[in-house]
Amino acid sequence: MTLSRSWVESANSASADFPLNNLPCGVFAPGDDDPRCGVAIGDFIVDVRALEEAGLIHVADEPVFKVPFWNEFMELGPDVWNLFRERLTELLHEDAAERELVEPHLYPAGEAEFFMPFIVSGYTDFYAGRHHATNVGTMFRGAENALPPNWLHIPIGYNGRASSVVVSGTEVRRPHGQLKGPNDAAPRFAPCERFDFELEMGAVVGMPSEGMVSVAQADEMIFGYVLLNDWSARDIQAWEYQPLGPFQAKATATTISPWIVMRAALEPFRTPTPPREKELLPYLAEPGPMLYDIGLEIELEPEGRAATVISRTNYSEMYYSAAQQLCHHTTSGCPMDAGDLLGSGTISGAVKESRGSMLELSWGGKEPLTLDSGESRSFLQDGDTVRFRGHAQGDGYRIGFGPCEGKVLPARAL
Amino acid sequence: MTLSRSWVESANSASADFPLNNLPCGVFAPGDDDPRCGVAIGDFIVDVRALEEAGLIHVADEPVFKVPFWNEFMELGPDVWNLFRERLTELLHEDAAERELVEPHLYPAGEAEFFMPFIVSGYTDFYAGRHHATNVGTMFRGAENALPPNWLHIPIGYNGRASSVVVSGTEVRRPHGQLKGPNDAAPRFAPCERFDFELEMGAVVGMPSEGMVSVAQADEMIFGYVLLNDWSARDIQAWEYQPLGPFQAKATATTISPWIVMRAALEPFRTPTPPREKELLPYLAEPGPMLYDIGLEIELEPEGRAATVISRTNYSEMYYSAAQQLCHHTTSGCPMDAGDLLGSGTISGAVKESRGSMLELSWGGKEPLTLDSGESRSFLQDGDTVRFRGHAQGDGYRIGFGPCEGKVLPARAL
């Protein structure tokens, strides 16, 4: 695949996140106006609600974009998703006949405010990164017991808190919680001292299901992908998580990128999951490559200082794909809804510079990082901004997600 | 408190679940008509949508009951909840002046179909029964390690799957999943062989919150309570639950009673949590009694046979109240929504006949139960119906919930 050229000139740059090949879905407000669905193109956002009102796009008999979220569009299914992409491609292509009709509905992205692109019906977070699971397991249980016995057989996941998912740019308040060090006689209630991020991709389920679906069906149900930061309170987690898993440690916030990159835009970048150390049960077999080659990086920006890139990794590092996770999610008969969000699990590579959390980068605080500003970090400090970026690299173009960022605010006084 | 008499004669029986003192909230369809909000009174349901349309009740400037769920009403807050109860009490009281206006809006409950009384925004399941935690812990980890170290300090909970919550009467399909016995070399994918119920109460959050709330505020946020069956696949759970907690083992279905009993109806039955073995952190202190004296029983009915009552217990057995759980739920800053459902955790008493799950009643399958029909049970079989009943006992009246039941269907052929 090569670049599709648009009459929006900024979309044709090799370093643009949003060329015509991408067309990611978000919700934005132009100026003081109300939020509506939009699609990014170069440095602009095309107002999809306005296009529908003007009769330039038509996806269903009733208007779909009168609501400021993508759920209703997603429920129309993959055929409509593809027709929508085709039509938008036609309208924005450098040879477009209708350019003059579309042009009034472009807004500069730099002046827009962003909102959650979809209503999160359910949020499930997985644990599918082998390097991450090995690193964390080694710290918590020792190298011999690092990977739990089920890990090579099950895409391990747990239900997260849908109400806590926020869009990039939302500030994140350091949580309180019960903290108890290994040598403390009793827990105390205090602000988290080991606040952390987790670099993940999120898969957005676009089609509902009842009963079990296959991996191939699961892949078809996925509307697109976002960058995702699963903010984590490590000290709260360590004390609370046995025996029923993480709860308040993961409930403060989960940040996603403002843009959902549709699966169709990522097709050229499919890549297989790695060779299996233990054979998977047949229901988890993949009919083709189900991961994506998406380069990722993490910036940490202390308040008033320059940002430091503290890690670079790739989504293709995962052991399980989102399609496998979604298939497994339905084995119990669990109903899935349009707007379900599946976090991939933390994406850490094999080397230290590719780890996806402070817990791993500072090895539980024992090996603090030195930032470009000269400061050191074991965990996040108040005022720190964490910013994820990611893109798939095509031939002369990229498919980007826009930043997924949030700033840590001090704990509220109680 | 004594019985308030209604002109609906069946509401005045000492054994009626729904006297005038109760007025629980559900969603029903009369005959072939569409679902709408209703309140139970004796053997009838009063159509609340119709009362609002007729101008007999007025809770907000805009109609609230045009939708078939109680979320919009709940969001109006405790003052409106109380005014609504006062007005319904006036309309249904034996001395009611408007009896003839209300009478056309009564439907026989026996002819109604029931629907989910509210949209479940989020579902959290707790683990607050000490006998249950001790029993399960003893079976899984031995008597010395039965209670995890955090258990006496934290109302332990995990996020469940909101999309899987169903109303009483919904049939429940035996799930598939990964099963691996302790002596198996590898897991297999097969129908669950240890399918179980868990007897719980559910607290329905009626008011949203942002940031942390106190126990007293949390209590005020609770709209009411339901009976709740947290169907559980024990063999799936045993293999999947480390390290991130139960996932597919709890995602098949969670059944609730058709009626939400408003907190106001339960006020006379408040009872304190038990003495603390370890002092709780101050944020969890209760300003008054926050549990309720609600007698509960479990019936197991094999297909085509008579039902056997297999357990009797009481909600007052819990170690943590729903108000404490909800307060703890917000410590991280987790936003709560109207329609959040909090499962209490399995309610087991101290003796064998008061245990709240088959896992405990049959002690992990080692001591099968004998039913009145002569059959034995270690776990649930296809065709079994599990039915919970519960009520608070007043002076000559009771506050009941209606049955919470579901029948187990055979696993789907794959």
Side-chain angles (χ1 to χ4, degrees):
Chain A
M1 287 282 280
T2 54
L3 175 71
S4 266
R5 295 189 67 87
S6 169
W7 53 262
V8 179
E9 203 41 56
S10 57
N12 300 326
S13 154
S15 62
D17 267 352
F18 309 121
L20 189 54
N21 308 54
N22 191 346
L23 299 177
C25 306
V27 169
F28 77 108
D32 291 338
D33 217 338
D34 52 334
R36 77 276 313 265
C37 292
V39 164
I41 180 77
D43 295 338
F44 292 85
I45 303 170
V46 56
D47 181 338
V48 173
R49 185 178 76 180
L51 292 188
E52 186 180 59
E53 283 169 0
L56 288 166
I57 57 169
H58 179 85
V59 296
D61 290 344
E62 297 290 315
V64 169
F65 293 111
K66 62 184 190 299
V67 292
F69 42 82
W70 284 82
N71 300 61
E72 296 194 7
F73 174 77
M74 291 195 280
E75 287 180 44
L76 298 175
D79 290 348
V80 173
W81 308 343
N82 291 333
L83 287 171
F84 173 79
R85 280 181 66 78
E86 281 171 26
R87 177 62 178 148
L88 270 189
T89 302
E90 186 177 51
L91 291 172
L92 294 165
H93 194 273
E94 63 177 352
D95 301 328
E98 291 153 302
R99 169 174 175 170
E100 285 179 20
L101 298 175
V102 175
E103 218 156 2
H105 305 302
L106 289 191
Y107 290 91
E111 295 170 18
E113 185 183 357
F114 290 98
F115 296 83
M116 276 292 294
F118 63 104
I119 296 172
V120 181
S121 306
Y123 168 44
T124 308
D125 194 31
F126 286 87
Y127 188 57
R130 182 159 189 178
H131 301 299
H132 171 72
T134 303
N135 289 340
V136 173
T138 300
M139 278 184 265
F140 279 36
R141 293 178 291 273
E144 292 74 27
N145 302 309
L147 272 194
N150 52 21
W151 200 92
L152 293 168
H153 300 278
I154 301 181
I156 293 288
Y158 65 99
N159 297 296
R161 176 77 192 176
S163 71
S164 69
V165 182
V166 296
V167 72
S168 177
T170 307
E171 294 176 322
V172 174
R173 175 84 54 191
R174 180 183 298 274
H176 280 73
Q178 287 201 18
L179 315 182
K180 182 183 172 298
N183 303 320
D184 298 342
R188 61 205 164 86
F189 189 72
C192 168
E193 294 167 0
R194 292 161 75 97
F195 200 51
D196 199 357
F197 58 80
E198 288 190 343
L199 171 66
E200 304 193 18
M201 297 289 301
V204 181
V205 176
M207 291 284 291
S209 68
E210 288 195 16
M212 185 176 168
V213 302
S214 67
V215 173
Q217 288 168 326
D219 188 58
E220 280 287 299
M221 286 166 61
I222 295 171
F223 177 69
Y225 290 82
V226 293
L227 303 181
L228 185 150
N229 182 350
D230 178 33
W231 301 91
S232 298
R234 300 298 178 192
D235 37 9
I236 296 173
Q237 186 176 355
W239 170 232
E240 77 171 0
Y241 92 107
Q242 288 286 11
L244 299 185
F247 180 46
Q248 289 304 286
K250 302 278 194 169
T252 301
T254 295
T255 302
I256 62 171
S257 57
W259 298 109
I260 312 171
V261 174
M262 288 173 74
R263 179 165 48 83
L266 294 168
E267 285 298 334
F269 308 102
R270 282 189 181 262
T271 182
T273 47
R276 300 292 144 181
E277 182 173 323
K278 300 211 177 180
E279 196 179 353
L280 290 180
L281 283 162
Y283 81 93
L284 288 171
E286 291 171 304
M290 295 272 164
L291 285 177
Y292 298 92
D293 178 0
I294 299 171
L296 300 162
E297 66 175 39
I298 305 170
E299 270 184 14
L300 200 164
E301 181 181 321
E303 189 145 38
R305 305 289 187 99
T308 305
V309 174
I310 59 174
S311 183
R312 287 191 175 87
T313 181
N314 194 294
Y315 181 43
S316 62
E317 293 281 357
M318 305 312 280
Y319 196 77
Y320 294 103
S321 65
Q324 287 175 317
Q325 291 168 335
L326 178 51
C327 161
H328 181 73
H329 207 317
T330 66
T331 51
S332 66
C334 178
M336 304 303 297
D337 292 319
D340 281 337
L341 174 64
L342 310 186
S344 60
T346 306
I347 305 167
S348 291
V351 299
K352 179 165 180 175
E353 295 72 25
S354 63
R355 293 175 185 160
S357 67
M358 287 302 293
L359 180 69
E360 295 165 86
L361 285 161
S362 75
W363 206 251
K366 292 183 186 146
E367 302 170 16
L369 288 188
T370 302
L371 306 179
D372 292 349
S373 60
E375 296 172 84
S376 77
R377 282 291 182 284
S378 294
F379 291 95
L380 297 173
Q381 293 193 5
D382 295 344
D384 285 353
T385 293
V386 177
R387 185 177 302 113
F388 300 164
R389 297 184 203 274
H391 68 266
Q393 184 63 55
D395 182 11
Y397 75 101
R398 50 165 69 169
I399 300 292
F401 289 78
C404 173
E405 68 176 61
K407 180 178 172 178
V408 179
L409 298 183
R412 207 180 296 272
L414 287 188
Chain B
M1 286 281 280
T2 55
L3 176 71
S4 264
R5 295 190 65 87
S6 170
W7 53 261
V8 180
E9 204 38 59
S10 57
N12 299 328
S13 156
S15 63
D17 266 353
F18 309 120
L20 189 53
N21 308 55
N22 192 343
L23 300 176
C25 306
V27 170
F28 77 108
D32 291 337
D33 217 340
D34 53 332
R36 76 279 308 271
C37 290
V39 163
I41 179 75
D43 296 336
F44 291 85
I45 304 169
V46 57
D47 181 338
V48 173
R49 186 178 73 182
L51 292 187
E52 185 180 62
E53 282 169 0
L56 288 165
I57 57 171
H58 178 86
V59 296
D61 291 341
E62 297 290 315
V64 169
F65 292 111
K66 60 183 193 299
V67 293
F69 43 82
W70 284 82
N71 301 60
E72 295 193 8
F73 174 77
M74 293 195 281
E75 286 179 45
L76 298 174
D79 291 346
V80 173
W81 309 343
N82 291 334
L83 288 171
F84 173 79
R85 281 180 65 79
E86 281 171 26
R87 176 63 179 149
L88 270 188
T89 302
E90 186 177 51
L91 292 172
L92 294 166
H93 194 271
E94 61 178 354
D95 301 328
E98 291 154 302
R99 169 174 174 168
E100 286 179 20
L101 297 175
V102 175
E103 218 156 3
H105 304 301
L106 289 191
Y107 290 90
E111 297 170 17
E113 185 183 356
F114 290 97
F115 296 82
M116 277 294 294
F118 63 105
I119 296 172
V120 181
S121 306
Y123 167 45
T124 309
D125 194 31
F126 286 87
Y127 188 58
R130 181 159 187 176
H131 301 299
H132 171 73
T134 304
N135 289 339
V136 172
T138 301
M139 279 184 266
F140 280 35
R141 295 177 290 272
E144 293 74 26
N145 302 308
L147 272 193
N150 51 21
W151 199 91
L152 293 168
H153 301 277
I154 301 182
I156 293 288
Y158 65 99
N159 296 296
R161 178 76 194 179
S163 72
S164 70
V165 181
V166 297
V167 72
S168 177
T170 307
E171 294 177 322
V172 174
R173 176 81 55 188
R174 179 183 298 274
H176 280 73
Q178 286 201 20
L179 314 181
K180 182 182 170 300
N183 302 320
D184 298 343
R188 62 206 161 87
F189 189 72
C192 169
E193 293 166 2
R194 292 161 77 98
F195 200 51
D196 199 357
F197 57 80
E198 287 190 343
L199 171 66
E200 305 193 19
M201 298 289 300
V204 181
V205 176
M207 292 284 291
S209 68
E210 287 194 18
M212 185 176 168
V213 302
S214 69
V215 174
Q217 289 168 324
D219 188 58
E220 281 285 299
M221 285 166 62
I222 294 172
F223 177 69
Y225 290 83
V226 292
L227 304 180
L228 185 148
N229 182 351
D230 178 33
W231 302 91
S232 298
R234 300 300 179 192
D235 37 8
I236 297 172
Q237 187 176 355
W239 170 232
E240 78 171 1
Y241 92 106
Q242 289 284 13
L244 299 185
F247 180 46
Q248 289 303 286
K250 303 279 195 168
T252 301
T254 294
T255 303
I256 62 170
S257 58
W259 298 109
I260 311 171
V261 174
M262 288 173 73
R263 180 164 49 83
L266 293 169
E267 284 298 334
F269 309 102
R270 282 188 181 263
T271 183
T273 45
R276 301 291 145 182
E277 182 175 322
K278 301 212 176 179
E279 196 179 355
L280 290 180
L281 283 162
Y283 80 94
L284 287 171
E286 291 170 304
M290 295 273 163
L291 284 177
Y292 299 92
D293 179 0
I294 299 171
L296 300 162
E297 65 175 39
I298 305 170
E299 271 184 12
L300 200 164
E301 181 180 320
E303 188 143 40
R305 306 288 187 98
T308 303
V309 174
I310 58 174
S311 184
R312 287 192 176 85
T313 183
N314 194 295
Y315 180 45
S316 62
E317 293 282 357
M318 304 314 279
Y319 196 78
Y320 294 102
S321 65
Q324 287 175 315
Q325 292 167 336
L326 178 51
C327 161
H328 180 73
H329 208 319
T330 65
T331 50
S332 65
C334 179
M336 303 303 296
D337 292 319
D340 281 337
L341 175 64
L342 310 187
S344 61
T346 305
I347 305 167
S348 292
V351 298
K352 180 166 179 172
E353 296 71 25
S354 63
R355 294 176 185 160
S357 66
M358 289 300 294
L359 180 70
E360 295 165 87
L361 285 161
S362 75
W363 207 252
K366 291 184 185 144
E367 302 169 15
L369 290 187
T370 300
L371 306 179
D372 292 350
S373 61
E375 295 172 85
S376 78
R377 283 290 183 284
S378 294
F379 290 95
L380 296 173
Q381 293 192 4
D382 295 344
D384 285 354
T385 294
V386 177
R387 185 178 301 114
F388 299 163
R389 296 184 204 275
H391 68 265
Q393 185 62 58
D395 182 9
Y397 76 101
R398 51 164 72 168
I399 300 292
F401 289 79
C404 173
E405 68 176 60
K407 180 177 173 178
V408 179
L409 299 182
R412 206 181 294 273
L414 288 187

